[in-house]
Amino acid sequence: MSGSKTNNKNKTREVSIPPNFIRQIINDDMKTGKFDGRVVTRFPPEPNGYLHIGHAKSICLNFGLSSEFNGICHLRFDDTNPEKEDVEYVESIKEDVRWLGFDWQEHLYYTSDYFERLYDYAVTLIKLGKAYVDSLTPDEIREYRGTLTEPGKNSPFRNRSIEENLNLFQKMKNGEMEEGACILRAKIDMAASNIIMRDPALYRILKQEHHRTHDAWCIYPMYDFAHCLSDSIEGITHSNCTLEFKNNRELYDWILNTLNVYHPQQIEFARLNLSYTVLSKRKLIELVDGNHVTGWDDPRMPTISGLRRRGYTPDAIRTFCERIGVAKRDSMVDIALLEHCIREGLNKKAQRVMGVLRPLRVVIENYPKGQSEILSAINNPEDKAMGTREIPFSRVLYIEQDDFMEDPPKKFFRLAPGREVRLRYAYFITCTDVIKDEQGKISELRCTYDPETKGGDAPDGRKVKSTLHWVSADHAIDAQVRLFENLFTMENPGAEDDFKTCINENSRKVLTGCKIEPELLNAAPGFRCQFERLGYFCVDRKDSTPGHLVFNRIVTLRDMWARIKKLQAQSKKSGKK
Ligand code: ATP
Ligand code: MG
């Protein structure tokens, strides 16, 4: 995972690793010995929801950099807000990080493990005259804070004595005060141009059961207070966070400097934004709670568990995170790039099989009744080592409804009355008759086959314009197949007044009665393959059972990303002329 391996001429520019300014910072720190050659990073999720692909970027960055520099990466649960947190989330986060291929070894931490020490630090700040208990109401505190253009006002409680503050803070801790009655604030500067520095809250009263400390505490530290000190306690060197914390860095530094404790370096990078989806836990929770999706692991969700269920591989997600790079400015990444990464990986690895999603019955009239034969098919043309498999052929087959037109327009080269096409790995067939039901709907085709074309080639050299996938009716297994589109119709749903108004009503289609090659009879949950011409599919991990196979389409075969890149290259070229 080095940033300099771009000299291989055979690899296109796309495969090269984009620059990562944090890697550069660490490199420099290694040279100057700033942290004695140590690299300790952390991934600090709040256990208030499931991880999404944006978190994967942070995970790959933090675990990736630490391993690159022989350091360690901690997994720390930032569990300071008992109202929204839950063990279910803790467990899912651990599972997702492991699944992505990263190992925190023995370095699993919880901010709640530091509650006692954080409390002591707060007491120290009070003793230094750098923190006070404020009894203004929340509304008053807001009013006193001022605005971007106006300075704030000092609270009338700002000059309480150290004694009084210690006493009141003790009372807060002992549960002798009501929620909202007071908070502990840092005493910095109510006129600071950075509003975050206007006496920020450090502790609040919350009479809530915590999923780990239970009822031991009724005051909880605020993020800004807990985060820098947790980093300090753990000896973190590079504390990488997303850009929205840029203004918080001043407070991060102030707390550590004022307490005169070990001081990690906070570095901000751009969060991942992905087109046609939302990456905010709050919004994802809304989708789950509002039943807009079937759960956190709905295959349409940008969550790690959703992507896993859809059929994404950890490899593809890591490759994606590497390719998007790490920048200092926010941008929107095209979801086509994510799809490109999984397609590229599966193209090399996934077995090809044939499956018919919307079956149309075909009877080969000159093929003997009751007869069948075994044909040979290549498992993966990209990897000869994957060998071949046997596929049964017989008199009655299924092809895709889409692959036949009674009245074909000019550019339709697939099956039509009187026309000859190739059945993949089998024979040339010619359509001789179209059978319809009472409603006039096509129910069956009658065809003939040419026994001379076994394997898919005509000895006389005659050509056909298309090759169809098919399955043998007697041998095929039934399956349910779920097809997905983007969950949203707008490129940036987060920018809408209500992102839920642009949910794509067609984002999930369930097809039953699909016919699949018998090869997949025992396909296990999580098994991935390519259905020829249709895309990459994965056996659903939850709903698929041996007698009732369920497939999710991971992606289609059409590579929109390659197309976008090609167009970009063309326009660049023509621009240069
Ligand atoms: P959300 O905005 O989804 O609620 P969060 O920042 O509140 O996310 P945390 O659990 O606090 O979620 O995030 C853990 C880590 O993941 C943080 O360091 C955060 O900066 C990082 N992170 C969260 N979202 C993204 C993203 N879209 N891109 C990159 N990193 C992210
Ligand atoms: Mg957060």
Side-chain angles (χ1 to χ4, degrees):
M1 283 199 200
S2 148
S4 56
K5 285 184 191 157
T6 49
N7 51 357
N8 186 341
K9 285 269 164 59
N10 293 328
K11 291 186 177 163
T12 59
R13 182 145 32 102
E14 207 177 54
V15 195
S16 70
I17 301 167
N20 173 340
F21 75 97
I22 302 181
R23 178 182 287 123
Q24 196 51 50
I25 291 176
I26 299 180
N27 254 323
D28 293 347
D29 289 347
M30 295 302 266
K31 280 184 203 138
T32 60
K34 180 169 175 189
F35 291 106
D36 306 322
R38 289 181 312 122
V39 175
V40 185
T41 57
R42 83 285 172 271
F43 173 62
E46 186 181 348
N48 63 350
Y50 281 63
L51 297 183
H52 52 63
I53 182 87
H55 293 111
K57 173 176 179 175
S58 176
I59 292 168
C60 291
L61 173 71
N62 284 299
F63 280 92
L65 284 175
S66 71
S67 83
E68 207 177 295
F69 289 94
N70 281 320
I72 39 182
C73 181
H74 298 179
L75 174 61
R76 181 199 312 144
F77 287 101
D78 188 13
D79 55 349
T80 54
N81 184 2
E83 279 174 310
K84 292 185 175 162
E85 296 162 4
D86 199 282
V87 272
E88 177 195 344
Y89 299 135
V90 170
E91 292 311 315
S92 76
I93 289 169
K94 287 200 243 173
E95 183 185 356
D96 289 349
V97 174
R98 256 189 236 117
W99 180 76
L100 280 173
F102 298 105
D103 183 5
W104 54 86
Q105 297 164 21
E106 69 273 31
H107 301 285
L108 174 65
Y109 303 108
Y110 295 84
T111 303
S112 56
D113 287 342
Y114 311 139
F115 280 172
E116 200 68 52
R117 292 174 77 173
L118 294 172
Y119 178 80
D120 291 342
Y121 279 129
V123 169
T124 305
L125 279 184
I126 296 174
K127 288 182 178 162
L128 290 168
K130 296 292 185 186
Y132 63 99
V133 175
D134 195 353
S135 305
L136 288 181
T137 65
D139 280 343
E140 287 168 330
I141 288 181
R142 211 166 301 128
E143 201 184 300
Y144 275 62
R145 188 172 296 133
T147 63
L148 281 173
T149 49
E150 282 166 62
K153 283 190 299 189
N154 285 350
S155 160
F157 303 100
R158 198 173 196 261
N159 286 322
R160 278 174 165 159
S161 68
I162 289 175
E163 276 323 298
E164 192 182 358
N165 281 319
L166 286 173
N167 187 14
L168 286 171
F169 190 44
Q170 176 88 47
K171 280 191 168 157
M172 282 170 68
K173 183 195 183 202
N174 292 347
E176 294 167 40
M177 314 274 242
E178 290 313 307
E179 268 182 35
C182 51
I183 57 169
L184 183 75
R185 300 179 75 172
K187 197 170 181 175
I188 307 179
D189 178 5
M190 288 305 292
S193 57
N194 179 357
I195 293 186
I196 286 173
M197 299 302 278
R198 294 182 188 170
D199 291 8
L202 303 180
Y203 263 93
R204 66 203 187 292
I205 302 168
L206 258 184
K207 302 204 166 166
Q208 280 266 344
E209 175 94 4
H210 186 281
H211 62 102
R212 294 190 80 240
T213 58
H214 309 290
D215 60 358
W217 294 88
C218 60
I219 54 170
Y220 291 92
M222 304 301 288
Y223 170 86
D224 282 316
F225 186 65
H227 199 82
C228 58
L229 286 166
S230 302
D231 281 351
S232 173
I233 290 168
E234 291 176 17
I236 300 298
T237 56
H238 301 86
S239 176
N240 306 312
C241 62
T242 36
L243 283 178
E244 65 270 24
F245 292 102
K246 197 167 186 146
N247 287 336
N248 301 56
R249 179 166 15 111
E250 198 177 344
L251 180 54
Y252 185 104
D253 292 339
W254 183 91
I255 293 170
L256 298 181
N257 287 336
T258 306
L259 287 166
N260 193 23
V261 292
Y262 168 77
H263 199 146
Q265 179 181 357
Q266 176 178 311
I267 305 168
E268 306 89 22
F269 66 95
R271 63 190 292 116
L272 170 66
N273 298 305
L274 195 59
S275 64
Y276 297 100
T277 191
V278 290
L279 295 183
S280 136
K281 278 187 271 189
R282 187 183 58 75
K283 293 194 173 107
L284 295 174
I285 285 175
E286 266 186 81
L287 291 175
V288 174
D289 288 349
N291 292 318
H292 300 288
V293 292
T294 59
W296 283 102
D297 64 354
D298 186 301
R300 292 166 295 177
M301 289 279 270
T303 50
I304 305 297
S305 49
L307 292 166
R308 173 166 61 232
R309 189 163 169 201
R310 174 91 166 240
Y312 270 80
T313 61
D315 259 12
I317 296 176
R318 288 197 305 264
T319 302
F320 169 74
C321 289
E322 203 165 274
R323 287 199 191 157
I324 56 178
V326 180
K328 291 185 209 177
R329 263 192 29 222
D330 275 318
S331 66
M332 172 83 75
V333 174
D334 198 316
I335 199 165
L337 175 58
L338 179 63
E339 294 175 349
H340 172 81
C341 292
I342 183 70
R343 199 178 279 119
E344 186 184 58
L346 290 179
N347 178 43
K348 290 186 199 118
K349 289 196 199 123
Q351 177 178 357
R352 274 57 167 169
V353 292
M354 292 196 282
V356 175
L357 300 188
R358 297 172 182 89
L360 172 59
R361 209 175 123 96
V362 172
V363 178
I364 311 287
E365 291 193 298
N366 59 340
Y367 196 88
K369 277 187 185 147
Q371 186 178 308
S372 69
E373 67 187 294
I374 296 295
L375 301 169
S376 174
I378 293 169
N379 281 331
N380 187 344
E382 298 285 321
D383 181 2
K384 289 276 140 56
M386 286 178 70
T388 58
R389 68 183 186 286
E390 299 182 330
I391 44 174
F393 183 90
S394 64
R395 181 179 155 89
V396 183
L397 313 170
Y398 291 114
I399 63 165
E400 210 68 63
Q401 285 171 19
D402 280 359
D403 282 336
F404 175 80
M405 278 186 97
E406 198 174 8
D407 246 330
K410 243 187 166 168
K411 289 202 165 166
F412 186 89
F413 297 116
R414 291 167 268 165
L415 197 60
R419 186 180 290 172
E420 187 171 54
V421 298
R422 175 188 295 112
L423 293 182
R424 180 87 156 144
Y425 299 122
Y427 296 98
F428 285 10
I429 60 166
T430 304
C431 178
T432 52
D433 205 1
V434 181
I435 314 288
K436 294 181 180 170
D437 64 14
E438 282 148 20
Q439 281 84 45
K441 197 174 162 275
I442 298 171
S443 58
E444 186 179 301
L445 301 181
R446 295 296 163 102
C447 295
T448 55
Y449 85 118
D450 177 357
E452 296 297 313
T453 57
K454 184 165 176 169
D457 280 312
D460 62 3
R462 77 180 187 278
K463 299 281 183 234
V464 286
K465 281 199 171 146
S466 77
T467 301
L468 310 185
H469 60 273
W470 56 275
V471 292
S472 163
D474 275 349
H475 303 87
I477 43 179
D478 284 309
Q480 185 190 102
V481 174
R482 298 169 182 174
L483 305 179
F484 306 105
E485 287 177 14
N486 292 333
L487 190 46
F488 295 94
T489 54
M490 303 291 280
E491 185 173 8
N492 185 5
E496 301 297 304
D497 286 338
D498 177 1
F499 74 101
K500 297 192 296 302
T501 56
C502 58
I503 290 178
N504 177 4
E505 297 301 330
N506 300 317
S507 57
R508 180 178 191 261
K509 211 167 269 164
V510 178
L511 304 178
T512 52
C514 307
K515 301 286 182 183
I516 315 287
E517 225 186 285
E519 173 79 6
L520 294 192
L521 181 63
N522 297 314
F527 175 80
R528 303 177 186 91
C529 58
Q530 183 195 97
F531 287 170
E532 295 211 24
R533 300 173 67 219
L534 298 173
Y536 293 99
F537 292 78
C538 179
V539 179
D540 191 83
R541 290 164 195 267
K542 248 190 188 164
D543 299 337
S544 196
T545 53
H548 177 71
L549 276 175
V550 179
F551 288 88
N552 295 321
R553 177 151 69 188
I554 312 168
V555 276
T556 61
L557 296 178
R558 192 175 332 136
D559 192 343
M560 293 308 287
W561 181 252
R563 207 140 137 203
I564 293 166
K565 286 276 124 185
K566 202 169 150 190
L567 288 173
Q568 281 175 350
Q570 279 169 359
S571 74
K572 225 175 172 178
K573 224 170 154 186
S574 65
K576 270 186 194 155
K577 273 178 194 168

